[in-house]
């Protein structure tokens, strides 16, 4: 059993798949803290978790043609300036289960918890690439990452991002060795993972073994044959994966974590809580909440840290206390977030349905009963 050596996990996690391990925290735990505690941070593994020895670990960084390649130990990585940032990581499949309700999709049944936030610390990728002699002038270039997890044929997890993002110090791409002040937990990439702020989870390669620069995107299955969006009209017989760009920056997203769908709330006042986030460093500027299915709206209070313009890498938690309309027995609670480009979430799922069930960011809707 290649999974026999996987780590022990927190019992509160809702498991979507045991082997490989995929799990999300329950909604009410997800927004209990602005920073998600490591044991309940959502986990998305495609393969068994490798058991790596920090003393013999080496990160291979390929140099440019004619240049020097680097083989970096953990101690070597610690010599680069240590950079620490708060970043929200979201899987492209977050909220896929809502797409499944429209029509069958292929993928894990994530609810609203395939998203979490941590303080990440490590070396900046731009500093490591510069040491290896890379420059930005390489046109149409991509930085490819390879994990040390692999399938029985020896194929490793891989992904890539554009070189321009990797080389931009303001994009703050990290080779992270700490998560919330601790060494990375095994499930989250021990000893080193990539953190690409504002970009889909799939590019944050864990158990990082190799970094290289290429004129083309990574040839990995997960870069080329997965994690792409398509029209609702495309099915598995007609899909042409080469016709769509790989997902990088994610669209604006929000969800309600409290109350729970189907719950009964006290008459009087109801407290509604949730999260909101947008990709590409775009800040969430507002969250609108409706108690009547979207007919009328109220503005929620945004909690969480102040955000740098164009570098809003982390989510905002939000809250609204609203009177339960007298005599109202059923409430259709809806939320939608707006980012600083005034991007909005689509109101329903059907028009954004796609065969892989990615990019599911319609208004989040729950139904609760009021006890009068
Ligand atoms: N890196 C490796 N090496 N192997 C993987 O299976 N999964 C990716 C990414 N990096 C993956 C990986 C996907 S799809 C996501 S959403 C994130 O890791 C999840 O990171 P987490 O498990 O720390 O939440
Ligand atoms: Mo993912």
């Amino acid at each position: 059993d290649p999974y026999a050596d996987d780590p022990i996990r927190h019992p509160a996690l809702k498991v979507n798949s045991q082997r490989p391990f995929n799990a999300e925290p329950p909604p009410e735990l997800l927004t209990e803290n602005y920073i998600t505690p490591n044991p309940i941070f959502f986990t998305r593994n495609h393969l068994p978790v490798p058991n790596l020895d920090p003393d013999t670990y080496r990160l291979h960084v390929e140099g440019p043609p004619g240049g020097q390649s680097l083989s970096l130990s953990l101690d070597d990585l610690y010599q680069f300036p240590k950079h620490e940032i708060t970043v929200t990581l979201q899987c492209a499949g977050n909220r896929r289960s809502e797409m499944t309700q429209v029509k069958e999709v292929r993928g894990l049944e994530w609810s609203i918890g395939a998203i979490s936030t941590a303080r990440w610390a490590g070396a900046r990728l731009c500093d490591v690439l510069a040491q290896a002699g890379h420059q930005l002038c390489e046109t149409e270039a991509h930085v490819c990452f390879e994990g040390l997890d692999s399938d029985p044929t020896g194929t490793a997890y891989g992904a890539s991002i554009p070189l321009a993002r990797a080389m931009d110090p303001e994009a703050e791409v990290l080779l992270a060795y700490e998560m919330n002040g601790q060494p990375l937990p095994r499930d989250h990439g021990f000893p080193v993972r990539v953190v690409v702020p504002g970009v889909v989870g799939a590019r944050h390669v864990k158990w990082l073994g190799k970094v290289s620069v290429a004129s083309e995107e990574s040839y990995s299955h997960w870069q080329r044959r997965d994690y792409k969006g398509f029209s609702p009209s495309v099915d598995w017989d007609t899909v042409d994966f080469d016709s769509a760009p790989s997902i990088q920056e994610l669209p604006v997203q929000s969800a309600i974590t409290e109350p729970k769908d189907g719950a009964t709330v006290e008459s009087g006042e109801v407290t509604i809580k949730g999260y909101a986030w947008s990709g590409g460093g775009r800040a969430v500027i507002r969250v609108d909440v409706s108690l009547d299915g979207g007919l009328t709206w109220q503005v929620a209070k945004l909690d969480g840290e102040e955000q740098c313009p164009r570098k809003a890498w982390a989510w905002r938690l939000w809250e609204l206390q609203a009177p339960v309309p007298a005599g109202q027995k059923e409430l259709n609670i809806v939320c939608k977030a707006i980012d600083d480009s005034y991007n909005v979430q689509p109101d329903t799922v059907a028009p954004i349905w796609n065969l892989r069930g990615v990019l599911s960011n319609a208004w989040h809707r729950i139904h609760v009963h009021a006890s009068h």
Side-chain angles (χ1 to χ4, degrees):
D1 174 9
Y3 293 95
D5 194 31
D6 265 23
I8 310 259
R9 277 90 180 204
H10 196 280
L13 290 169
K14 180 181 154 258
V15 178
N16 297 325
S17 141
Q18 194 60 244
R19 295 149 199 252
F21 189 73
N22 287 283
E24 62 188 296
E28 68 279 7
L29 287 188
L30 186 57
T31 50
E32 197 166 87
N33 298 289
Y34 178 68
I35 300 292
T36 316
N38 289 352
I40 62 158
F41 197 100
F42 89 94
T43 300
R44 203 298 176 233
N45 295 339
H46 292 82
L47 299 162
V49 176
N51 203 343
L52 304 172
D53 177 353
D55 295 329
T56 57
Y57 171 81
R58 293 291 179 278
L59 172 62
H60 186 77
V61 184
E62 245 176 43
Q68 270 257 309
S69 290
L70 306 176
S71 177
L72 302 174
S73 67
L74 273 179
D75 276 335
D76 294 333
L77 268 180
Y78 299 154
Q79 303 312 309
F80 290 89
K82 184 175 177 181
H83 197 72
E84 185 164 13
I85 44 174
T86 308
V87 176
T88 295
L89 209 148
Q90 182 182 217
C91 182
N94 192 29
R95 301 182 60 197
R96 177 180 285 128
S97 55
E98 292 161 67
M99 273 195 182
T100 311
Q101 286 166 17
V102 173
K103 202 169 93 181
E104 189 195 339
V105 300
R106 222 175 264 179
L108 294 162
E109 284 293 295
W110 294 108
S111 177
I112 61 171
I115 182 169
S116 298
T117 299
R119 294 279 297 164
W120 305 94
R124 280 196 303 200
L125 177 59
C126 60
D127 294 340
V128 173
L129 287 175
Q131 174 142 332
H134 287 288
Q135 292 173 352
L136 189 50
C137 63
E138 299 161 77
T139 49
E140 294 277 312
H142 303 266
V143 177
C144 302
F145 306 117
E146 246 182 68
L148 292 165
D149 49 339
S150 58
D151 69 13
T153 73
T155 307
Y157 185 86
S160 63
I161 61 169
L163 179 67
R165 181 181 293 277
M167 294 293 275
D168 179 2
E170 294 297 306
E172 302 186 275
V173 182
L174 294 188
L175 304 182
Y177 45 74
E178 271 180 29
M179 179 179 183
N180 296 330
Q182 304 287 317
L184 296 183
R186 280 185 63 207
D187 262 331
H188 302 291
F190 180 83
V192 177
R193 82 174 303 166
V194 187
V195 171
V196 195
V199 163
V200 66
R203 315 301 168 213
H204 300 228
V205 175
K206 305 192 272 191
W207 313 292
L208 185 64
K210 189 177 161 191
V211 177
S212 58
V213 176
S215 58
E216 305 245 15
E217 282 188 280
S218 164
Y219 278 88
S220 145
H221 168 86
W222 296 278
Q223 189 76 19
R224 301 226 168 202
R225 291 289 172 270
D226 201 353
Y227 296 115
K228 294 186 172 189
F230 294 96
S231 161
S233 63
V234 172
D235 61 27
W236 288 101
D237 296 326
T238 58
V239 64
D240 172 11
F241 271 97
D242 292 327
S243 69
S246 61
I247 300 170
Q248 295 281 339
E249 294 183 359
L250 284 171
V252 61
Q253 175 70 288
S254 70
I256 300 159
T257 55
E258 273 179 64
K260 273 192 174 160
D261 191 28
T264 300
V265 300
E266 297 291 307
S267 61
E269 206 171 54
V270 59
T271 300
I272 305 161
K273 290 187 187 181
Y275 64 75
W277 180 77
S278 189
R282 289 176 288 276
V284 167
I285 58 164
R286 202 180 77 229
V287 172
D288 296 331
V289 178
S290 173
L291 272 63
D292 54 13
L295 290 174
T296 62
W297 298 92
Q298 302 174 59
V299 176
K301 183 169 77 65
L302 295 180
D303 296 332
E305 288 172 7
E306 263 315 300
Q307 314 233 297
C308 296
R310 293 178 305 285
K311 291 174 31 163
W313 309 132
W315 64 12
R316 301 301 295 266
L317 301 183
W318 54 263
E319 187 173 323
L320 177 77
Q321 281 170 9
V324 176
Q328 195 94 26
K329 291 218 166 54
E330 309 293 325
L331 300 180
N332 289 307
I333 306 178
V334 184
C335 76
K336 62 180 171 86
I338 296 92
D339 73 19
D340 61 7
S341 297
Y342 285 98
N343 291 308
V344 295
Q345 299 175 243
D347 56 350
T348 54
V349 193
I352 57 166
W353 183 95
N354 59 86
L355 74 176
R356 194 60 177 82
V358 291
L359 306 166
S360 182
N361 73 328
W363 298 357
H364 188 226
R365 298 161 187 270
I366 62 161
H367 181 93
V368 301
H369 315 278
S371 65
H372 284 288

